[in-house]
Amino acid sequence: MKHSRPARILLACCVVALASFGWYGTQTVRPPDCKVAVSAFTDADGRPLPVNGEEVTWDELSERAYRDMVASGRCEPPTTRWHHWLG
């Protein structure tokens, strides 16, 4: 049985959409109820000053603070996104 060209295009679009949705759902994310706030001394450009002689970014500072909160039991560790969809 031969499929028409529009049917093959629709099938390909469905496969791509399903694969994209699956990839998105399996990404690791932080729990939505765990808020992390970071403050630091900055230079004139707004970048955080080095920590222990190492250059750091705001994302690195946020990740360190989140790991500390997980270690202390105040936040849950990251899980796959689809776990949050289930509630």
Side-chain angles (χ1 to χ4, degrees), residues 28-42:
T28 302
V29 294
R30 294 179 183 177
D33 58 343
C34 182
K35 304 295 182 210
V36 178
V38 178
S39 63
F41 291 106
T42 61

Side-chain angles (χ1 to χ4, degrees), residues 1-68:
M1 174 178 202
K2 279 191 135 183
H3 295 287
S4 66
R5 182 179 172 101
R8 287 188 302 232
I9 292 172
L10 179 62
L11 178 63
C13 289
C14 289
V15 168
V16 168
L18 185 62
S20 298
F21 183 72
W23 171 84
Y24 181 76
T26 58
Q27 297 301 300
T28 302
V29 294
R30 294 179 183 177
D33 58 343
C34 182
K35 304 295 182 210
V36 178
V38 178
S39 63
F41 291 106
T42 61
D43 61 13
D45 295 326
R47 293 184 302 251
L49 292 177
V51 175
N52 297 328
E54 285 183 39
E55 294 289 326
V56 292
T57 64
W58 288 110
D59 289 338
E60 291 169 339
L61 290 174
S62 176
E63 186 60 30
R64 287 180 189 178
Y66 173 69
R67 285 195 311 259
D68 290 345

